[in-house]
């Protein structure tokens, strides 16, 4: 019969009075069941280790006795051993691979006495089981659920975990975030065209220019050439369907840019000079006028003051 519970080996450490000789006889027993220990001797101690098979009926506290006999001397000691049964919890998904938008139930069950914590489930009162429903979305693809069962044995909390992974079939998808529809590049610069299609199964992606069918190199670092500009149709294909997206590549010519900049600079210079000169001339005219007026006023005053 296969035991449902196993335990780590039962170690017993005994220090004998005086020198220990390998002739010492070691006896190890669990209640009245005699065990067959493996004994390791060192200078003033020995380790006796034995494996025990236990049946579910033996659950509970049992006594382990270790005796060492050397000549006519016997030393013995006894320890309590807790025998428990703690199988890993059962974590089940109603389906492990589903199309997007399918309701999936996630359920975790442990044996009575244990409490489970299920990732993704709202934390309720501790219980031996937990479950929730999930509307599978693309974001849930490859999502791993963890169920952790905890059992208290002899004052210690023990954990056993189980995980399950959900696969969600979706796509293909091409969106603005991962495949922008408008690229503006400088001629001769090094650029990587990043266009990522999403889906499970992973879609195949290619981009052809509308006018001549020229292929756009996606994902490679390339030197941008003038003849790359144009409107491309990017197509993501999987067995679940096809999606298309228009991608416009604009290549700007650096030389033309310099010329434009120079023209603008010259224009700005010319305009500001004209404005400056005009302002100067206007000001000068105003001053001359003011001067003439003052002179006229002075002359008039003099005329008034001189007696006829
Ligand atoms: C054990 O044996 C030794 C000698 O072999 C003897 O002197 C001693 O009294 C014995 N002890 C007991 C407890 O019988
Ligand atoms: C699951 O979610 C999708 C998208 O949000 C929605 O269209 C669908 O009706 C939902 N299914 C159920 C059973 O709630
Ligand atoms: C877990 O599943 C196994 C096999 O289906 C079953 O024998 C066991 O009782 C289940 N455990 C619980 C806690 O339901
Ligand atoms: C099980 O999961 C719990 C909670 O996430 C963690 O504390 C514990 O270390 C895990 N145990 C094992 C054996 O992975
Ligand atoms: C693409 O971007 C350029 C510069 O960033 C802009 O001039 C042009 O209008 C945009 N075209 C589209 C179709 O959005
Ligand atoms: C652009 O021109 C280069 C040579 O100048 C040529 O090798 C390349 O195939 C052309 N690309 C396209 C998309 O026409």
């Amino acid at each position: 019969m296969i035991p449902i519970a196993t335990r780590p080996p039962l170690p017993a450490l005994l220090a004998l009075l005086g020198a220990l000789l390998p002739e010492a006889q070691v006896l190890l027993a669990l209640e009245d069941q005699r065990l067959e220990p493996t004994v390791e001797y060192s200078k003033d101690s020995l380790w006796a280790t034995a494996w025990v098979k236990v049946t579910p009926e033996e659950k509970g506290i049992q006594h382990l006795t270790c005796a060492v006999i050397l000549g006519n001397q016997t030393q013995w000691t006894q320890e309590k051993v807790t025998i428990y049964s703690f199988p890993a919890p059962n974590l089940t998904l109603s389906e492990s691979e589903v199309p997007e938008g399918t309701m999936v139930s996630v359920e975790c069950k442990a044996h009575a006495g244990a409490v489970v914590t299920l990732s993704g489930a709202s934390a309720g009162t501790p219980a031996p089981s937990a479950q929730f429903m999930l509307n599978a979305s693309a974001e849930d693809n490859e999502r791993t659920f963890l169920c952790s069962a905890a059992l208290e044995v002899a004052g210690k909390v023990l954990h056993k975990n189980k995980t399950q992974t959900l696969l969600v079939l979706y796509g293909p998808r091409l969106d603005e975030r991962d495949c922008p529809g408008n690229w503006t590049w400088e001629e001769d610069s090094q650029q990587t065209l990043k266009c990522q299609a999403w889906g499970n199964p992973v879609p195949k992606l290619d981009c052809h220019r509308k006018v001549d069918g020229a292929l756009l190199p996606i994902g490679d670092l390339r030197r941008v050439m003038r003849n790359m500009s144009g409107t491309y149709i990017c197509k993501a294909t999987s067995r679940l369907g096809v999606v298309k997206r228009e991608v416009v590549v604009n290549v700007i010519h650096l030389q033309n840019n310099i010329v434009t900049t120079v023209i603008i600079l010259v224009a700005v210079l010319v305009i500001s000079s004209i404005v400056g000169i005009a302002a100067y001339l206007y000001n000068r005219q105003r001053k001359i006028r003011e001067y003439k007026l003052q002179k006229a006023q002075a002359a008039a005053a003099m005329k008034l003051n001189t007696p006829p």
Side-chain angles (χ1 to χ4, degrees), residues 101-103 135-136:
T102 309
M103 295 305 290
N135 183 354

Side-chain angles (χ1 to χ4, degrees), residues 136-185:
S137 68
E139 288 67 41
D140 295 317
N141 185 34
E142 293 184 20
R143 179 168 165 193
T144 295
F145 299 94
L146 168 74
C147 179
S148 178
L151 180 73
E152 197 181 314
V153 176
K156 273 189 203 161
V157 178
L158 306 170
H159 288 277
K160 285 241 174 118
N161 298 343
K162 262 285 181 63
T163 58
Q164 292 285 353
T165 303
L166 177 68
L167 297 177
V168 180
L169 300 168
Y170 72 98
R173 271 191 194 174
L174 269 179
D175 53 33
E176 177 64 25
R177 191 168 58 106
D178 297 307
C179 186
N182 189 8
W183 296 84
T184 303
W185 286 332

Side-chain angles (χ1 to χ4, degrees), residues 263-298:
I263 289 173
I264 290 172
L265 274 179
V266 168
V268 166
L269 238 117
V270 167
I271 290 168
S272 45
S273 318
I274 290 172
V275 169
I277 291 167
Y280 171 74
L281 288 177
Y282 171 76
N283 236 1
R284 215 185 111 188
Q285 282 298 326
R286 192 167 54 87
K287 280 199 180 133
I288 290 170
R289 247 185 282 130
E290 268 172 17
Y291 177 66
K292 280 187 177 158
L293 197 67
Q294 273 171 10
K295 241 175 101 178
Q297 277 168 348

Side-chain angles (χ1 to χ4, degrees), residues 3 15 23-24 35 45 47 75 80 92-94 113 115 121 129 145 160 172 199 246 252 283 297 305:
E23 293 95 75
L35 308 176
S45 63
W47 277 97
Q75 295 279 333
K80 279 181 189 163
T92 46
L93 300 175
S94 53
V115 294
S129 71
F145 299 94
K160 285 241 174 118
E246 213 172 78
I252 50 171
N283 236 1
Q297 277 168 348
N305 289 345

Side-chain angles (χ1 to χ4, degrees), residues 249-271:
V249 175
N250 308 293
V251 178
I252 50 171
H253 314 306
L254 200 58
Q255 267 135 354
N256 288 1
N257 255 13
I258 289 173
V259 170
T260 320
T261 315
V262 168
I263 289 173
I264 290 172
L265 274 179
V266 168
V268 166
L269 238 117
V270 167
I271 290 168

